[in-house]
Amino acid sequence: MGYRKKNRHVGIVGVGETKFSSHREDVNQPEMIHEAVRQALDDAGITMNDVDCVVHGNMELFEMVHQPDLWHTLGSGAYGKTSYRLTTGGTTGGTLACAGDNLAASGMYDVVMSIGFEKLQEGHTTGGITNMADPLWARKLQSGALTAATALKLIEEFGPERARNAAMIYRIIMDKHACLNPNSHRAFGLDWDQMADLMENSPPLIGDLRLIHMCSQSDGACVVIFAAEKKAKQITDKPVWVRDHITVHREETLNLCNNYYPTDTTHKFAAEKLYERNGITNPLDYFDVFEMYDPSAWWGTDWLREFFLLDGDEHLKLVENKEIMIDGKMPINPSGGVIAANPIGATALVRVAEAAKQIRGDAGPHQIQKPVNHALASAFGGTMWTILMMLEKELNW
Amino acid sequence: MSRRVAVCATAQIKNEPDIWYQRFQGMLLDCFESILSQTGVTFDMEKGIRNVVTCSDDVFDARTISDNGMTDVVGAHFRGEEKTAQNGINALGYAMAAILSGHDDLVLVMGHGKESQPESRQMCTNLAFDPFYCRPLGLDYLNASAFQARAYMEKAGITEEQLAKVVVRSRRMGAKNPYARENDLVSEEAVMQSPLMSDPIRELHTYPLTDWAVGMLLCCEERAHEFTDNPVWISGFGSCMDSYFLGDRDLSDNFALKQAAARAYQMAGIKDPKTAFDVVELNDAYAYQLPMWAEGIGLVDAGSGGRWIDDGGLEADHVNTSGGMLNGNPIMLGGLARALEGVHQLQGSAGDRQVEGAKKALAHGTTGAAGQHHGVLILEK
């Protein structure tokens, strides 16, 4: 039977995001979550009485609260509701979005609220991520999320000058986008004349990965409300339709030495399967915006090739020619992306929320000025895990 | 679109106090290989498993993103994996939704718990409380349950003798279950004289420390015949979250369980829970919970849980034929273990504890302090 048509269409009817920041000391976890919940409910024009199911997710060892959804009931509105908790590391926000779609499509619930959050200030991010590795073999070798392998790969393939330039162009474009987004954590106001200085003087982290390339540690929460077709149309006159989603994880040790991709990456694998089953032959032409989970400028630059199934240096040209800018051919992360704000459990859900806002046309100062009908959002986590979600303006497939 | 999902195969290892000789990956691998050999299911992108729902917990595993360490042994290499982090019964509820949505035909559900691994499970559950008000008090699931036990026992007039009967029977039923934890049979006197852990909960009123792993293959109705001649159907699921602060709740009430059960009953078309089920499996982590949850699901009238025990209700209603949580399952897998027994009973594969002609079963799981969250699953032949 293979991949089938969904039982019911599902639309996004409300989104909410907190301001992202390195320190949200003014709020505790439930209070911070409540900000995003309140905003999403107001955005949808509904109350908690209309919500059938609450889905919660984060990475619990970062804040060291066991089963935090229990405490967060104070701010999440989950009291008296059906609730699920899903947690898949960096991809958690993506999993929450897939769950919102699945649960609403199943017929079991009409309105599903997905909540992703992280308060990294209350934990230790690199320590937390290092603790992911196998305690017997790999933990001593771990450098958390800090890796220069992708930089090395790009430099080997395209030479140091071109590769470093492309990564820095990517970085500055993301900062220019972040400066338009009032929720951004980091928005420096970087400009092109700083490129040489940043490449030379930004503190090195590991290999060719410098502090300026790397995403932040952020506090923040994101909420997306999903509704089955009939209900979605009652709630709003501009639901954003979830067309399809795919999750591809990768095994840890089998691919430990796989940085040079002798086989497909999960990004490419996921993209190929998703496009194939939805009849998309040229993703670069099809999509109007891509909200990508880009933890560093090196990864963002490199991954464009995988997600859009590009050949040779086409992905570098997209960056070098600034086609990924908000007014370019393929805007990437008009929100500023993960480099600008990374509250990990929320991050991938933010990508979906931001993509939905672009389709609705109400993203604010970072709204793409051309019509946005087709959007793609990605999640990344674990050992190169991928989730891709396709959003549509029209229900016409 | 069908409204039910088939359980096509189950696999488990034996519940043991300390599986020191295997890592959690090894525990899962045994279950995984059993499911593959029973069903011949593949990971083909078109017709095979494309999504795996796991159940585990980072704190108990002492690993960030603990599913990262098991993607290979659950077959999730270049396939999807979604980790649920509450009681395993929710993994079944979520897997059911993934199939009913049409997005997946097949979902493999895999759960593991290694309670022997952390220094103390009380230390783990203390972390479930907020760091400002409740955690410094030393609250954990045990002493939160003690508050509830006291409140419920007062209200329903539950006696030490009745709790002792629950424990004695749990051990007796567990002894008939080849996968159950091996415990000594105990007398009612021994239960009543066992040390107080957190008044009024005694040591023998408490579920014993256990390691375990389990797997289930779930499938859409249309394709179930490809994998089994003896499917068991999930026809209903409901869950509900209660409020957080213990003082905000009437601990002796069953607010969340009543809601969860009502939702599951509505989905499965169940009118009268007193007569609907041939088998009832309740997540009794502590002895007082068995009569309390029985009231919560509507099997027993409110306030008469104690009399129900004295009148032989546990036998008559075929409650916890597996031995229940009290005989030993890891904390997060209590509900999955209850569902597993339901499947065995409806398949007719429950051996010495088989309920003849069982056609409908209820399985229950709970998470959080004093049952803050409940899930109820309905299984049918």
Side-chain angles (χ1 to χ4, degrees), chain A residues 1-8 28-29 52 59-74 78-90 95 98-103 105-109 122 127-137 139 244-255 263-266 269 273 276-277 381-383 385, chain B residues 1-3 23 25 45-47 50-51 53 56-60 62-65 67-73 76-87 90-91 93-94 96-105 124-133 135 141 220 222-223 237-245 248 255 259 263 267 331-332 367-369 372-373:
Chain A
M1 198 175 296
Y3 176 74
R4 291 185 290 156
K5 199 174 164 63
K6 269 199 285 197
N7 177 35
R8 309 197 286 189
N28 66 18
Q29 292 173 21
D52 302 315
M59 292 171 73
E60 70 188 70
L61 285 203
F62 282 169
E63 294 89 0
M64 218 31 174
V65 180
H66 174 54
Q67 308 282 15
D69 55 321
L70 300 166
W71 174 30
H72 297 172
T73 302
L74 296 168
Y79 169 68
K81 305 289 180 193
T82 294
S83 81
Y84 294 89
R85 174 167 159 74
L86 289 145
T87 157
T88 54
T95 306
C98 296
D101 182 32
N102 285 344
L103 290 162
S106 73
M108 289 162 73
Y109 315 104
E122 295 178 0
I129 294 177
T130 301
N131 202 46
M132 169 180 94
D134 183 290
L136 298 179
W137 303 104
R139 205 168 282 174
D244 199 0
H245 59 84
I246 187 166
T247 300
V248 180
H249 284 196
R250 197 174 78 175
E251 190 270 327
E252 184 180 18
T253 47
L254 206 68
N255 276 279
T263 58
D264 280 351
T265 64
T266 50
F269 185 85
K273 298 293 173 206
E276 186 186 312
R277 70 195 191 192
T383 43
W385 297 347
Chain B
M1 186 68 202
S2 65
R3 295 283 292 163
R23 305 165 77 198
Q25 291 92 336
M45 202 65 193
E46 290 302 309
K47 295 199 136 198
R50 291 190 303 262
N51 196 19
V53 173
S56 67
D57 181 80
D58 284 8
V59 171
F60 273 92
R63 279 178 78 154
T64 312
I65 329 174
D67 49 334
N68 181 67
M70 58 179 142
T71 37
D72 52 349
V73 291
H77 187 57
F78 280 85
R79 296 294 180 273
E81 183 270 342
E82 295 177 318
K83 172 182 161 185
T84 54
Q86 292 162 321
N87 192 294
N90 282 34
Y94 179 64
M96 178 186 192
I99 290 171
L100 291 182
S101 76
H103 198 269
D104 294 291
D105 287 356
C124 292
T125 58
N126 175 246
L127 291 175
F129 291 88
D130 77 84
F132 307 107
Y133 297 106
R135 202 184 287 177
Y141 286 0
C220 60
E222 300 91 314
R223 290 186 57 196
F237 177 75
S239 83
C240 184
M241 181 72 95
D242 207 336
S243 53
Y244 165 72
F245 283 118
D248 287 348
F255 165 75
Q259 296 281 324
R263 287 166 191 165
M267 193 172 168
I331 179 168
M332 292 191 68
T367 314
Q372 190 185 341
H373 178 95

Side-chain angles (χ1 to χ4, degrees), chain B residues 191-355:
Chain B
V191 178
M192 289 189 282
Q193 285 163 15
S194 72
L196 270 173
M197 302 275 286
S198 185
D199 189 14
I201 296 177
R202 295 183 181 277
E203 191 176 5
L204 288 174
H205 293 156
T206 310
Y207 70 108
L209 198 79
T210 309
D211 294 350
W212 189 53
V214 56
M216 289 193 196
L217 181 67
L218 271 55
C219 181
C220 60
E221 191 165 1
E222 300 91 314
R223 290 186 57 196
H225 62 90
E226 291 177 36
F227 307 102
T228 181
D229 299 326
N230 195 7
V232 168
W233 304 99
I234 302 177
S235 59
F237 177 75
S239 83
C240 184
M241 181 72 95
D242 207 336
S243 53
Y244 165 72
F245 283 118
L246 298 178
D248 287 348
R249 295 161 53 187
D250 177 354
L251 289 178
S252 67
D253 191 35
N254 268 303
F255 165 75
L257 181 51
K258 284 178 195 163
Q259 296 281 324
R263 287 166 191 165
Y265 297 164
Q266 192 191 4
M267 193 172 168
I270 285 164
K271 302 276 184 276
D272 180 10
K274 282 200 176 75
T275 56
F277 307 111
D278 305 302
V279 177
V280 172
E281 283 281 321
L282 298 170
N283 195 148
D284 54 347
Y286 304 101
Y288 79 90
Q289 292 183 340
L290 190 60
M292 183 168 170
W293 303 155
E295 293 179 20
I297 61 163
L299 181 68
V300 176
D301 288 333
S304 59
R307 196 168 352 112
W308 173 69
I309 293 168
D310 288 336
D311 292 349
L314 297 173
E315 298 296 343
D317 292 324
H318 305 295
V319 175
N320 288 16
T321 50
S322 62
M325 182 88 166
L326 268 177
N327 192 72
N329 309 116
I331 179 168
M332 292 191 68
L333 303 188
L336 265 176
R338 308 283 70 76
L340 191 75
E341 176 69 3
V343 171
H344 278 307
Q345 289 287 359
L346 301 189
Q347 280 179 334
S349 58
D352 293 346
R353 59 193 197 285
Q354 180 67 47
V355 176

